[in-house]
Amino acid sequence: MNAPALSAVIGQPVSRVDGPAKVTGTARYAAEFVPDGLAYASVVSATIPRGRIRALDTSAAEGMPGVLAVVSHRNAPKLPYLERDQRPPVDPKSGDQLRMFQDDKVLFNGQPVAVVIADSQQEADAAARCIGIAYDETEPTTTFDPGRGRPPSEETAKGGRPGAAGRGDGAAGLAEAATTVDVTYVQAREHHNAIEPHATIAQWDGDSLTLYDKSQWVQNVVVEIAHVFGIEAGKIRVISPFVGGAFGSALRTWPHVTIAAIAAKMTGRPVRVELSRRQLYHSVGFRPHTLQRVRLGAAPDGRLTAILQDAAAQVATYEEYAETTLQPAETTYSCPNVATAYRLVEMDTNSPCPMRGPGIVTGLYALEAAMDELAVALNVDPVALRLKNHADINEKTGLPWSSKALKACYETAAERFGWADRIAAPRSMRIGTDLVGYGMATAIYHADRAPAEAEVILFANGTAVVRTAASDMGPGTYTSITQIAADELGLPVEAIRFELGDSTLPMAPVHGGSITLVSVGSAVAEACAAVRQKLEALTGEGSIAERLRANGLDRLAASAKASPGEETKRYASSAFGAVFVEVRVDEGLGTLRVKRMTGAYDVGRVINPKIARSQCIGGMMGGLGMALMEAAEWDPRFGKVMNANLAEYLVPVCADTPALDVTFVPSEDTVLNPLGAKGLAEIAICGVAPAIANAVFHATGRRQRHIPIRPEDLIGT
Ligand code: MOS
């Protein structure tokens, strides 16, 4: 297939095609389906960090109005939870997933230990509060002690998360350096906190199971739940047309999905499980608390001689989850000597999981803050230092980039921001009582592609339906894929309906890792091209409608499977960006305001500049939250997040939003996919936190080596 030529629809700022459904409330989210006879569940969470359930008193709850069943390890069916070689294709790579109601063990505070099912949510919640549980506690491990860190398992290492990686000789590179920095950074545990809580409705029809679920990958939910219950994948259907934000928390199934299916089985009714905001802090994953040490060495001219980066991240005891935290150390800059070491610190906690830019944003935070410290030590401009060490190829793999316009990102963003006005010495810019700081950082996020399938049906009335089992958690997939189809079919956007979020649709990969547009978009483009060829083979002239009618057809369908081409193996692909930030700090009050942010991005061809900008400003605000607000406050006495609510776990709101300037530099990546696009999602949160941290140093002259940076860190001089 050739790249679509200059087209009418691709590249246009089309408004979201699902916008009207969302703003009028007709878009249905998982918890909003109402199958006949729907019953409601309330999950009971453990209140100790480790031990066993000694006694469980459900008698009062069972007698309460509307209660249909109380399920726990005492009466739940024994489930097969198939062996690890049949593990579903998502993280974690090793360990044993949490099994629901299969024994009396408590592995972390907040673990689901029972569920009440009733005719109404209120009755279920009331009865859940009347369940008495007595525990035998054992000594928990609830502190984050990096000294206890261990390397990831062999399976995890094989899955691309090794304990050690690099090239050359890190120690020798450091020894030969004229200038070095050796710094340690800490990042808080963060939670996704999507607006839509996780929810599942399970409905059995004989041995067939339908799940209405909040999911970034409906076909994986089928695989995982088939694995838990030991039933054929063909017996399970997962429906998820709308997702109210997820950011990685809905890439895999969590215990409540299994609980919903168990509860529906035991009551013979469809059952809804909707987690409370508090439960979201321990019933789904989170970005792990991570400590990193970065050592950089540079020659007198600023060339890097060594990058050594170590990370220690928290992990659950029962399953293993490791991040790609140290990948930026290997790929962001040219450097002959790189050494990374990754350690997991087991704790009695629920398992962490991917969260927006998983691993990469964490590693980039430390790397890009350390680069700023190196620039100060060398007395060179931070942008100049990065240009000096530009990676012309991916030095981790030795492969050329399929496209790279990072230099244009630095140049464009610096120009738009007015970086030239920056006075290099910290504490030298002021407006009134505010210290002013300018900071910047590089953004990088690998661009990947996976096989995908799509079906297109043209109708004699001149409309078309495009079908594939993708998700849209909010980035605008409904819209961008509709635009691609409109272009290929030569139809207006309004004539196309895009159906997604149903596991029975043609195969689509995970809606994560910024791969959906290039993967699913390529399949849709090919399916459209195939149906167009079929149309052209028909006799007759004129419009689609006329051609179909002339041939006595009411519809014409075609399918396609699109896979990454062989040439993708000869290149490394990545999105790039440069982020510039201005902060204002009042040391008397400890207040810190991000005044403005400028980002310039190389994301390949932009399919829709309006929703692309929305992705970028959303990512920037995610990064602002990371830098200044987001932190789970963990109390080791209880092994528990104490601020498990949106009043005390702070996220940025509109009032925190600065002026946000987004530019896409000219770029096209036809190696990665025929559309010329690269993923545009996670790149937007990358680099934001270190740019802010670097600006805070420039404003105040004091280096904050942890995020979030808060007023108490800044007050006083
Ligand atoms: Mo993203 S963490 O791949 O949803």
Side-chain angles (χ1 to χ4, degrees), residues 216 247-248 251 354-358 473 511-513 682:
Q216 289 172 251
F247 317 116
L251 292 169
M355 176 171 158
R356 207 67 176 163
M473 65 169 145
H511 184 54
E682 337 226 24

Side-chain angles (χ1 to χ4, degrees), residues 192 216 246-251 287 321 323 353-359 445 473 510-515 681-682:
H192 306 75
Q216 289 172 251
F247 317 116
S249 69
L251 292 169
R287 192 195 300 285
Y321 169 73
E323 304 212 296
C353 79
M355 176 171 158
R356 207 67 176 163
Y445 195 85
M473 65 169 145
V510 61
H511 184 54
S514 306
I515 70 169
E682 337 226 24

Side-chain angles (χ1 to χ4, degrees), residues 27 51 159 218 424 486 495 543 575 604 704:
V218 286
S543 72
Q704 306 294 334

